[in-house]
Amino acid sequence: MNTVLTPSQVPLPPASGAWREGDPPGRRQWYVREHPLALEAGGELGRVRLAFETWGRLAPDRGNAVLVLHALTGDSHAAGVAEPGHPTPGWWDGLIGPGRALDTDRFFIVAPNVLGGCQGSTGPSSPGPSGGPWGGDFPFLTQRDQVAAEVGLADALGIERWALVVGGSMGGMRALEWAVSYPERVDALLLLATTAAASAEQIAWADIQLHAIRADPHWHGGHYHHTGSGPHAGLGQARRIAHVTYRSEPELQVRFGRSPQGAEDPWRGGRYQVGSYLDHHAGKLVGRFDAGSYVVLSTGMNSHDIGRGRGGVVAALKRVAARTLVAGVDSDRLYPPSQQAEIAAGIPSADGLRVIESPYGHDGFLIETQQVGALVRELVGASPAQPIPGSPPHFPAG
């Protein structure tokens, strides 16, 4: 039986689950861009700050750096325990650490919170030109804008070329943009459960979620951060919809079937276990995320097209020079393996499509860390016996 809190039992943040100034910084460091960031859609973003976390030490030749890029509701906390400033454990903790596939005795791991996010990077909940939160005035971002901000971070760290860039889902979109836009800066590339361009169905699923948020009476056109009551119902509903697409029908059936939640009677207003499960994930996200960031990042994902302005997808993929592995999850119904097969076929250095076997659907790229770890080791080889000397760069908070 799955014991979870009902939505009414989950404590809600005042208006947003975003990290706020004055909250514990946790393991975050910050990079602040010196100049405005020109945006693909026009205009510019004046003050750009990225929160990021690092593990391991940067080698003297700076050749052991790995860029780890998170999915839609991820953040910089890719590894480590839940602690003040980090409400959840690292989302790829099984992959990062001493002796693991991303061996911190060998590699210098960098995980930024995406531009437009809500866990320390500039986004809708961040101070805007007026001094108050950007809210609904935050500009439209594309994956290329987000990568351009990450290029600034790499430059600040003195990293001219990544030993490996890895990402899944939205993180895979950015990883692919890195390899196409800056082929000379990516030595190896691992793309997981992602696509070369958002499909009509993926846009449709995101559009339904965006409608749920914008229809919440507390949305106020995105200007809710100062009201004390955010669009929690809309964000929770968006998460419920999304989470169904992240998992597989067989897993949900085996795990929950038609069972009611505890003593609740679905014929008398009670819930089924699967409904309780969705309520649980909705409540968790509302407590740690910002609805404005969800909107900005989702619309950015909908804009994703690696071939835009480059002569199409086929021409763009030919620009990738990195040693590349592309993998899909066999039960993924949101980003089906056919989309990864298209990427693998188009990148000259890709070695066919690899398949991650998992009952967990799209979330399999996060859960099946042993299979993902095997792909990492195939790309970068086994770890050396001795750790890398040197000291990691450090950026003060601010």
Side-chain angles (χ1 to χ4, degrees):
M1 180 181 300
N2 294 276
T3 303
V4 299
L5 297 175
T6 66
S8 62
Q9 294 173 305
V10 177
L12 298 178
S16 170
W19 184 91
R20 295 175 290 276
E21 300 294 339
D23 288 347
R27 298 190 72 259
R28 291 175 184 83
Q29 300 177 61
W30 277 273
Y31 153 72
V32 179
R33 185 180 174 91
E34 294 182 358
H35 305 290
L37 178 69
L39 302 178
E40 188 182 3
E44 61 183 25
L45 188 57
R47 186 178 187 272
V48 170
R49 184 176 78 163
L50 293 184
F52 67 100
E53 296 179 46
T54 65
W55 299 263
R57 296 179 181 273
L58 189 59
D61 65 1
R62 299 180 181 263
N64 68 330
V66 172
L67 181 63
V68 174
L69 300 175
H70 68 75
L72 172 60
T73 61
D75 54 33
S76 64
H77 198 53
V81 299
E83 58 183 289
H86 301 297
T88 56
W91 50 269
W92 242 359
D93 194 60
L95 206 65
I96 300 171
R100 296 177 180 171
L102 291 174
D103 190 345
T104 51
D105 287 337
R106 176 186 179 190
F107 295 112
F108 178 62
I109 314 296
V110 181
N113 181 215
V114 68
L115 180 64
C118 63
Q119 288 298 317
S121 292
T122 300
S125 59
S126 304
S130 68
W134 274 97
D137 293 331
F138 194 80
F140 182 88
L141 294 180
T142 69
Q143 307 293 314
R144 295 180 195 179
D145 298 328
Q146 293 162 342
V147 167
E150 292 164 359
V151 167
L153 169 61
D155 290 345
L157 291 171
I159 298 169
E160 296 181 359
R161 184 175 177 88
W162 296 102
L164 172 66
V165 176
V166 54
S169 194
M170 185 186 82
M173 294 177 182
R174 298 191 344 263
L176 183 57
E177 278 290 351
W178 259 99
V180 170
S181 297
Y182 306 94
E184 73 285 356
R185 301 192 68 163
V186 181
D187 186 53
L189 178 68
L190 178 56
L191 303 173
L192 303 166
T194 193
T195 182
S199 70
E201 185 176 41
Q202 288 158 351
I203 294 171
W205 280 119
D207 199 49
I208 296 168
Q209 296 166 49
L210 293 171
H211 275 288
I213 293 172
R214 290 166 173 158
D216 190 307
H218 296 290
W219 170 244
H220 299 300
H223 297 287
Y224 57 85
H225 295 90
H226 65 286
T227 66
S229 182
H232 303 313
L235 179 58
Q237 190 69 348
R239 181 61 164 183
R240 291 179 181 90
I241 295 165
H243 202 76
V244 173
T245 71
Y246 295 159
R247 312 301 281 226
S248 74
E249 186 278 333
E251 185 221 353
L252 295 178
Q253 179 62 28
V254 169
R255 191 171 175 184
F256 303 109
R258 296 181 46 79
S259 300
Q261 175 61 24
E264 296 183 32
D265 184 352
W267 285 30
R268 291 171 174 80
R271 298 172 298 169
Y272 290 97
Q273 280 190 9
V274 69
S276 173
Y277 168 74
L278 296 178
D279 288 346
H280 172 65
H281 282 279
K284 282 179 62 179
L285 186 73
V286 165
R288 67 172 183 84
F289 214 75
D290 178 64
S293 281
Y294 200 98
V295 169
V296 165
L297 299 182
S298 294
T299 53
M301 290 173 71
N302 285 350
S303 77
H304 172 62
D305 180 358
I306 201 70
R308 183 176 59 251
R310 294 166 171 160
V313 167
V314 173
L317 292 177
K318 289 180 180 178
R319 297 170 62 163
V320 176
R323 292 176 289 108
T324 303
L325 286 180
V326 185
V329 181
D330 59 359
S331 57
D332 191 343
R333 55 183 173 183
L334 181 60
Y335 288 75
S338 60
Q339 294 183 334
Q340 293 90 60
E342 177 188 25
I343 298 173
I347 295 177
S349 57
D351 185 19
L353 175 67
R354 305 303 173 88
V355 178
I356 297 170
E357 297 180 356
S358 175
Y360 300 115
H362 184 61
D363 276 354
F365 83 91
L366 293 169
I367 297 170
E368 305 292 354
T369 53
Q370 288 191 345
Q371 294 183 63
V372 174
L375 296 172
V376 170
R377 290 186 172 97
E378 184 177 347
L379 267 176
V380 299
S383 297
Q386 299 297 321
I388 296 291
S391 298
H394 176 74
F395 285 72

mmCIF file of all heavy atoms in Angstrom, residues 180-197:
data_model
loop_
_atom_site.group_PDB
_atom_site.id
_atom_site.type_symbol
_atom_site.label_atom_id
_atom_site.label_comp_id
_atom_site.label_asym_id
_atom_site.label_seq_id
_atom_site.Cartn_x
_atom_site.Cartn_y
_atom_site.Cartn_z
ATOM 1 N N VAL A 180 25.958 20.797 -31.311
ATOM 2 C CA VAL A 180 25.722 21.361 -32.638
ATOM 3 C C VAL A 180 26.236 22.794 -32.715
ATOM 4 O O VAL A 180 26.851 23.196 -33.709
ATOM 5 C CB VAL A 180 24.217 21.298 -32.990
ATOM 6 C CG1 VAL A 180 23.909 22.101 -34.254
ATOM 7 C CG2 VAL A 180 23.777 19.855 -33.176
ATOM 8 N N SER A 181 26.001 23.583 -31.677
ATOM 9 C CA SER A 181 26.418 24.987 -31.693
ATOM 10 C C SER A 181 27.916 25.157 -31.452
ATOM 11 O O SER A 181 28.531 26.087 -31.994
ATOM 12 C CB SER A 181 25.642 25.772 -30.624
ATOM 13 O OG SER A 181 24.260 25.780 -30.883
ATOM 14 N N TYR A 182 28.474 24.285 -30.635
ATOM 15 C CA TYR A 182 29.889 24.402 -30.250
ATOM 16 C C TYR A 182 30.581 23.045 -30.389
ATOM 17 O O TYR A 182 31.072 22.481 -29.404
ATOM 18 C CB TYR A 182 30.003 24.916 -28.814
ATOM 19 C CG TYR A 182 29.254 26.207 -28.589
ATOM 20 C CD1 TYR A 182 27.946 26.186 -28.098
ATOM 21 C CD2 TYR A 182 29.829 27.441 -28.881
ATOM 22 C CE1 TYR A 182 27.238 27.367 -27.912
ATOM 23 C CE2 TYR A 182 29.135 28.620 -28.699
ATOM 24 C CZ TYR A 182 27.835 28.580 -28.213
ATOM 25 O OH TYR A 182 27.135 29.743 -28.031
ATOM 26 N N PRO A 183 30.657 22.513 -31.602
ATOM 27 C CA PRO A 183 31.220 21.168 -31.770
ATOM 28 C C PRO A 183 32.658 21.051 -31.301
ATOM 29 O O PRO A 183 33.092 19.972 -30.866
ATOM 30 C CB PRO A 183 31.105 20.912 -33.280
ATOM 31 C CG PRO A 183 30.938 22.270 -33.892
ATOM 32 C CD PRO A 183 30.225 23.095 -32.885
ATOM 33 N N GLU A 184 33.402 22.161 -31.353
ATOM 34 C CA GLU A 184 34.805 22.134 -30.938
ATOM 35 C C GLU A 184 34.959 22.085 -29.428
ATOM 36 O O GLU A 184 36.072 21.864 -28.929
ATOM 37 C CB GLU A 184 35.536 23.368 -31.486
ATOM 38 C CG GLU A 184 35.205 24.686 -30.800
ATOM 39 C CD GLU A 184 33.836 25.269 -31.155
ATOM 40 O OE1 GLU A 184 33.133 24.690 -32.014
ATOM 41 O OE2 GLU A 184 33.469 26.311 -30.569
ATOM 42 N N ARG A 185 33.861 22.223 -28.678
ATOM 43 C CA ARG A 185 33.950 22.271 -27.215
ATOM 44 C C ARG A 185 33.395 21.018 -26.542
ATOM 45 O O ARG A 185 33.320 20.967 -25.315
ATOM 46 C CB ARG A 185 33.215 23.504 -26.685
ATOM 47 C CG ARG A 185 33.762 24.815 -27.224
ATOM 48 C CD ARG A 185 33.245 26.031 -26.495
ATOM 49 N NE ARG A 185 33.756 26.085 -25.128
ATOM 50 C CZ ARG A 185 33.733 27.193 -24.387
ATOM 51 N NH1 ARG A 185 33.222 28.316 -24.872
ATOM 52 N NH2 ARG A 185 34.202 27.175 -23.148
ATOM 53 N N VAL A 186 33.025 20.010 -27.326
ATOM 54 C CA VAL A 186 32.440 18.788 -26.761
ATOM 55 C C VAL A 186 33.211 17.588 -27.288
ATOM 56 O O VAL A 186 33.189 17.296 -28.488
ATOM 57 C CB VAL A 186 30.946 18.660 -27.120
ATOM 58 C CG1 VAL A 186 30.362 17.389 -26.505
ATOM 59 C CG2 VAL A 186 30.172 19.889 -26.654
ATOM 60 N N ASP A 187 33.888 16.870 -26.381
ATOM 61 C CA ASP A 187 34.670 15.708 -26.789
ATOM 62 C C ASP A 187 33.799 14.462 -26.903
ATOM 63 O O ASP A 187 33.937 13.680 -27.838
ATOM 64 C CB ASP A 187 35.800 15.463 -25.783
ATOM 65 C CG ASP A 187 36.737 14.363 -26.245
ATOM 66 O OD1 ASP A 187 37.232 14.451 -27.384
ATOM 67 O OD2 ASP A 187 36.961 13.404 -25.475
ATOM 68 N N ALA A 188 32.900 14.264 -25.930
ATOM 69 C CA ALA A 188 32.006 13.108 -25.940
ATOM 70 C C ALA A 188 30.611 13.580 -25.557
ATOM 71 O O ALA A 188 30.440 14.541 -24.796
ATOM 72 C CB ALA A 188 32.489 12.024 -24.988
ATOM 73 N N LEU A 189 29.594 12.873 -26.076
ATOM 74 C CA LEU A 189 28.209 13.297 -25.928
ATOM 75 C C LEU A 189 27.339 12.083 -25.641
ATOM 76 O O LEU A 189 27.399 11.081 -26.351
ATOM 77 C CB LEU A 189 27.756 13.974 -27.223
ATOM 78 C CG LEU A 189 26.317 14.461 -27.330
ATOM 79 C CD1 LEU A 189 26.067 15.633 -26.385
ATOM 80 C CD2 LEU A 189 26.018 14.879 -28.782
ATOM 81 N N LEU A 190 26.537 12.186 -24.582
ATOM 82 C CA LEU A 190 25.580 11.131 -24.259
ATOM 83 C C LEU A 190 24.187 11.749 -24.207
ATOM 84 O O LEU A 190 23.903 12.611 -23.365
ATOM 85 C CB LEU A 190 25.913 10.478 -22.913
ATOM 86 C CG LEU A 190 24.950 9.378 -22.431
ATOM 87 C CD1 LEU A 190 24.805 8.265 -23.472
ATOM 88 C CD2 LEU A 190 25.420 8.800 -21.098
ATOM 89 N N LEU A 191 23.326 11.321 -25.113
ATOM 90 C CA LEU A 191 21.963 11.832 -25.224
ATOM 91 C C LEU A 191 20.986 10.748 -24.812
ATOM 92 O O LEU A 191 21.028 9.619 -25.333
ATOM 93 C CB LEU A 191 21.674 12.256 -26.672
ATOM 94 C CG LEU A 191 22.617 13.310 -27.261
ATOM 95 C CD1 LEU A 191 22.321 13.512 -28.743
ATOM 96 C CD2 LEU A 191 22.491 14.622 -26.507
ATOM 97 N N LEU A 192 20.097 11.074 -23.888
ATOM 98 C CA LEU A 192 19.183 10.092 -23.319
ATOM 99 C C LEU A 192 17.736 10.568 -23.444
ATOM 100 O O LEU A 192 17.411 11.691 -23.041
ATOM 101 C CB LEU A 192 19.505 9.878 -21.833
ATOM 102 C CG LEU A 192 20.929 9.447 -21.493
ATOM 103 C CD1 LEU A 192 21.190 9.616 -20.003
ATOM 104 C CD2 LEU A 192 21.160 8.004 -21.915
ATOM 105 N N ALA A 193 16.885 9.726 -24.003
ATOM 106 C CA ALA A 193 15.439 9.961 -24.004
ATOM 107 C C ALA A 193 15.090 11.381 -24.414
ATOM 108 O O ALA A 193 14.342 12.076 -23.740
ATOM 109 C CB ALA A 193 14.863 9.646 -22.622
ATOM 110 N N THR A 194 15.640 11.814 -25.545
ATOM 111 C CA THR A 194 15.413 13.182 -26.000
ATOM 112 C C THR A 194 15.075 13.175 -27.479
ATOM 113 O O THR A 194 14.875 12.121 -28.086
ATOM 114 C CB THR A 194 16.639 14.057 -25.684
ATOM 115 O OG1 THR A 194 16.293 15.422 -25.845
ATOM 116 C CG2 THR A 194 17.840 13.696 -26.554
ATOM 117 N N THR A 195 15.000 14.356 -28.072
ATOM 118 C CA THR A 195 14.569 14.464 -29.459
ATOM 119 C C THR A 195 15.324 15.583 -30.158
ATOM 120 O O THR A 195 15.830 16.508 -29.504
ATOM 121 C CB THR A 195 13.049 14.735 -29.518
ATOM 122 O OG1 THR A 195 12.604 14.795 -30.864
ATOM 123 C CG2 THR A 195 12.689 16.045 -28.826
ATOM 124 N N ALA A 196 15.373 15.505 -31.488
ATOM 125 C CA ALA A 196 16.002 16.562 -32.270
ATOM 126 C C ALA A 196 15.096 17.775 -32.402
ATOM 127 O O ALA A 196 15.569 18.896 -32.590
ATOM 128 C CB ALA A 196 16.381 16.038 -33.653
ATOM 129 N N ALA A 197 13.795 17.560 -32.304
ATOM 130 C CA ALA A 197 12.817 18.647 -32.377
ATOM 131 C C ALA A 197 11.561 18.192 -31.656
ATOM 132 O O ALA A 197 11.144 17.036 -31.783
ATOM 133 C CB ALA A 197 12.505 19.004 -33.830
#
